[in-house]
Amino acid sequence: MVENKLKHLVKGLKDVFSVDEINKIAKESKFLQRKSSIKPEDFLIFNTLHGEDLCKTPLSQLASRYDAIFDKQVSKQAIDKRFNNFSVDFMMTIFNKIMYIQNNILKNLESTLNLHFERVIINDSTGFALPKEYADKFPGAGGSGSSSAIKIQLQYELLTGSFMKMDVFSGTKADATYLESMEKDNKKNDLKLADLGYLKIDYLKKLQKNGASFISKVKSNTALYIKNKKPERYKTGGIKKSSRYIKLDILELSKPLIEGETIELKDVYVGSKKEFRSRLIVTKLTEENKNKREIAHKENIRKKCQVFKQGRMDFNSVNAYISNVDDKILNSTQIHDLYTLRWQIEIMFKIWKSIFKINEVKKVKVERFKCFLYGRFIALLLSSSIVFTAKNIILEEINQEISEIKSFGSIFQYLPKLASIIFKSEVHLLHFFKKVFLSFKRFCLKSSKNNKKIPIDILEIIKLDLFKTERIAS
């Protein structure tokens, strides 16, 4: 069974990383139009597995590096000319292909959660400032913010580790504008863990209509109502329309609660139109957690030059969620515990920036930056295929979970070695992956700190069988 998973990983990667396939893509993207000293497969490996500082290193040093890796002398002018629109199309095509391959590799490790949820999906975005010279292509907020910035939207499937979607936008693009793209991937028995930036009633309605579930945090200004059991009536006996519903005040609801106590209301109507019903779960935070949130909130206001609103600041005293998951499946405590797994996508973004240095960009021609960006994406997709296959295998073998940060940090050290064998036989790759997985077992196992729950603990508590394999690649 383990051997089958490894073979499926190798086969998936070889579907992309074959010289014939790379040359085919190079010709279709017009990267390869005539004989060149820089081969398509070498350019790909150079950008992907040796390109973490592509936007910081002088061209002369990049030319020397190319010679050191491929034993081929090229001029810095030749390197520079290779960063063009055709090269960007070439890298983008490879990225899209390996995104599909990565999803296919990890899909074969897919599991069900106690027969309730087939996928747990998290959407979020990360961004960073770019050199001001990119403002035409990637405008930023301007003012006290950067004049050029980028935003990357990620749709992440928690159970398999798949990067379902990765899309690049300018730094001014609001998260809510991405909902239309997200809707295309909704399936029955999905569970969406929704962030405030994606809280739109119409979107939640469509999720529910498609048979999907959601857990979402509530904004401080979200309109919430319950039906009035004793509405006012006219003398004729008819009910006054204005008294049919009672508007809820979450902060008032939380006042009688002691720190850490939770209240739940069923059949709460969300939105001013009162067309959408949901569960509402409210927990009063401890003074310590409230203070932490207030400090972070004030810092966020300062960074983004936002207007201070007392009502929004007061909302830091509570956790408030809405969900359409039946309480027979998840109780209010389990709703909160499961929602905390949204933090896993923040860990991914930390890996992108602290390990893969995706945000370390200096002024270079924009085509070089785009090649760097898609090279980083490809390296991340490659690494995630390896890490999450290993995670599944190691959990099955020794019932322990590996740390994403430790394992991505570890595989990053192996990328130069992978670069030297990725076009070789499947036997070479199998041997390589077995060696890497042994390293993961030695150095990358996750441990609970201060009795804090780790993801697998949370999934066990709510009786969700994360790694019970349904389909194994043959």
Side-chain angles (χ1 to χ4, degrees):
M1 190 175 289
V2 170
E3 195 74 15
N4 284 344
K5 293 178 184 180
L6 282 171
K7 286 180 179 178
H8 186 70
L9 171 62
V10 170
K11 184 180 182 302
L13 296 184
K14 294 300 287 183
D15 283 346
V16 179
F17 289 93
S18 74
V19 174
D20 288 344
E21 180 64 20
I22 298 300
N23 279 317
K24 178 184 173 186
I25 294 171
K27 289 175 182 176
E28 290 172 350
S29 62
K30 297 186 178 179
F31 175 87
L32 184 61
Q33 300 184 57
R34 55 184 177 273
K35 192 172 181 180
S36 170
S37 57
I38 298 179
K39 295 179 180 178
E41 63 270 28
D42 292 347
F43 184 81
L44 172 63
I45 294 301
F46 189 71
N47 281 278
T48 302
L49 302 180
H50 295 285
E52 66 272 9
D53 56 355
L54 197 68
C55 285
K56 297 192 300 180
T57 304
L59 285 167
S60 57
Q61 291 182 26
L62 290 179
S64 297
R65 180 186 300 173
Y66 193 91
D67 184 20
I69 296 168
F70 302 110
D71 196 23
K72 190 173 295 181
Q73 291 188 348
V74 294
S75 67
K76 65 179 185 179
Q77 290 82 6
I79 292 279
D80 186 51
K81 284 181 181 179
R82 262 311 187 187
F83 294 119
N84 54 44
N85 287 327
F86 297 133
S87 303
V88 174
D89 288 344
F90 170 67
M91 294 295 292
M92 193 186 302
T93 304
I94 300 272
F95 159 69
N96 287 324
K97 187 172 179 66
I98 199 165
M99 171 101 67
Y100 173 82
I101 294 294
Q102 182 243 25
N103 276 267
N104 187 48
I105 289 170
L106 298 180
K107 190 176 180 181
N108 282 274
L109 308 172
E110 193 175 7
S111 56
T112 59
L113 298 184
N114 204 22
L115 302 180
H116 296 306
F117 309 118
E118 293 182 3
R119 303 187 300 180
V120 176
I121 298 171
I122 307 171
N123 279 86
D124 211 342
S125 64
T126 189
F128 48 89
L130 294 174
K132 62 183 180 181
E133 289 77 11
Y134 299 165
D136 287 345
K137 300 283 186 182
F138 300 100
S144 60
S146 174
S147 59
S148 179
I150 193 170
K151 179 177 279 191
I152 304 165
Q153 290 281 356
L154 172 64
Q155 184 155 290
Y156 178 63
E157 206 286 288
L158 179 66
L159 305 183
T160 61
S162 293
F163 296 175
M164 296 171 62
K165 294 174 74 70
M166 291 170 69
D167 289 298
V168 176
F169 300 96
S170 71
T172 57
K173 194 86 167 178
D175 287 341
T177 60
Y178 195 60
L179 290 173
E180 186 176 343
S181 180
M182 289 163 56
E183 288 170 6
K184 297 174 184 177
D185 295 301
N186 293 339
K187 289 184 180 180
K188 186 177 180 180
N189 297 326
D190 281 350
L191 173 64
K192 291 284 186 92
L193 304 182
D195 186 46
L196 292 175
Y198 307 93
L199 176 55
K200 295 290 182 183
I201 304 304
D202 288 342
Y203 175 64
L204 298 182
K205 281 182 181 177
K206 289 176 182 176
L207 283 177
Q208 187 156 288
K209 185 178 180 181
N210 291 338
S213 301
F214 67 85
I215 303 171
S216 174
K217 275 205 167 179
V218 178
K219 293 179 181 179
S220 59
N221 62 351
T222 301
L224 301 167
Y225 303 86
I226 56 171
K227 275 193 173 179
N228 189 352
K229 294 179 180 179
K230 296 180 180 180
E232 296 178 26
R233 293 181 180 271
Y234 293 105
K235 290 180 181 180
T236 56
I239 296 174
K240 289 184 179 181
K241 188 176 180 181
S242 62
S243 70
R244 287 179 182 272
Y245 298 91
I246 299 171
K247 190 170 185 179
L248 296 175
D249 184 325
I250 287 177
L251 294 178
E252 285 297 320
L253 277 175
S254 69
K255 277 185 179 179
L257 304 178
I258 62 172
E259 291 184 358
E261 190 177 1
T262 298
I263 185 172
E264 176 174 347
L265 299 178
K266 297 177 183 177
D267 295 327
V268 170
Y269 292 82
V270 186
S272 57
K273 294 182 180 179
K274 309 173 189 71
E275 296 175 344
F276 186 70
R277 285 191 301 172
S278 174
R279 295 167 65 188
L280 172 67
I281 299 108
V282 179
T283 302
K284 188 170 187 175
L285 299 182
T286 64
E287 195 66 24
E288 180 185 359
N289 284 333
K290 175 189 171 184
N291 290 337
K292 286 180 180 177
R293 281 197 177 180
E294 287 181 344
I295 292 169
H297 186 193
K298 288 175 183 176
E299 179 62 17
N300 198 44
I301 289 173
R302 185 191 66 79
K303 281 184 177 179
K304 296 184 178 180
C305 298
Q306 296 172 339
V307 177
F308 178 87
K309 296 179 181 179
Q310 189 61 50
R312 175 64 189 89
M313 182 61 70
D314 293 342
F315 210 69
N316 287 307
S317 63
V318 296
N319 271 332
Y321 305 99
I322 53 174
S323 178
N324 67 339
V325 180
D326 193 288
D327 60 3
K328 293 177 183 177
I329 299 173
L330 296 174
N331 63 36
S332 56
T333 301
Q334 293 166 340
I335 289 281
H336 168 73
D337 284 346
L338 190 54
Y339 190 84
T340 62
L341 294 178
R342 267 195 57 82
W343 182 247
Q344 294 301 111
I345 201 168
E346 297 297 335
I347 290 175
M348 280 297 123
F349 292 151
K350 183 178 180 180
I351 287 166
W352 289 15
K353 293 178 179 179
S354 65
I355 298 174
F356 285 79
K357 313 294 185 185
I358 198 167
N359 59 323
E360 295 190 5
V361 181
K362 289 187 177 180
K363 179 189 172 184
V364 295
K365 60 194 280 190
V366 71
E367 293 82 7
R368 180 170 159 190
F369 162 66
K370 289 181 178 180
C371 286
F372 161 79
L373 186 66
Y374 286 107
R376 294 293 81 200
F377 285 167
I378 293 167
L380 280 161
L381 288 167
L382 262 174
S383 300
S384 68
S385 299
I386 297 165
V387 166
F388 287 103
T389 298
K391 185 173 185 177
N392 185 281
I393 289 173
I394 291 169
L395 187 68
E396 187 176 277
E397 285 184 339
I398 62 175
N399 197 33
Q400 285 187 267
E401 189 176 16
I402 59 172
S403 158
E404 284 84 359
I405 289 180
K406 290 178 182 177
S407 50
F408 272 93
S410 178
I411 194 61
F412 186 81
Q413 305 306 319
Y414 284 95
L415 291 184
K417 176 64 177 177
L418 179 60
S420 69
I421 65 166
I422 199 162
F423 290 112
K424 292 185 178 180
S425 70
E426 293 186 4
V427 174
H428 281 88
L429 284 173
L430 275 172
H431 178 74
F432 170 77
F433 290 137
K434 287 177 181 178
K435 185 177 180 179
V436 170
F437 290 7
L438 284 174
S439 178
F440 287 172
K441 283 184 187 179
R442 290 184 64 197
F443 303 118
C444 302
L445 295 179
K446 188 177 289 186
S447 58
S448 297
K449 295 181 180 179
N450 301 321
N451 296 319
K452 187 177 180 181
K453 296 173 185 174
I454 59 176
I456 193 169
D457 294 331
I458 293 170
L459 292 166
E460 285 175 354
I461 287 169
I462 57 178
K463 299 180 181 178
L464 303 180
D465 189 6
L466 175 55
F467 289 108
K468 182 178 178 182
T469 305
E470 281 192 317
R471 299 190 294 275
I472 304 299
S474 57

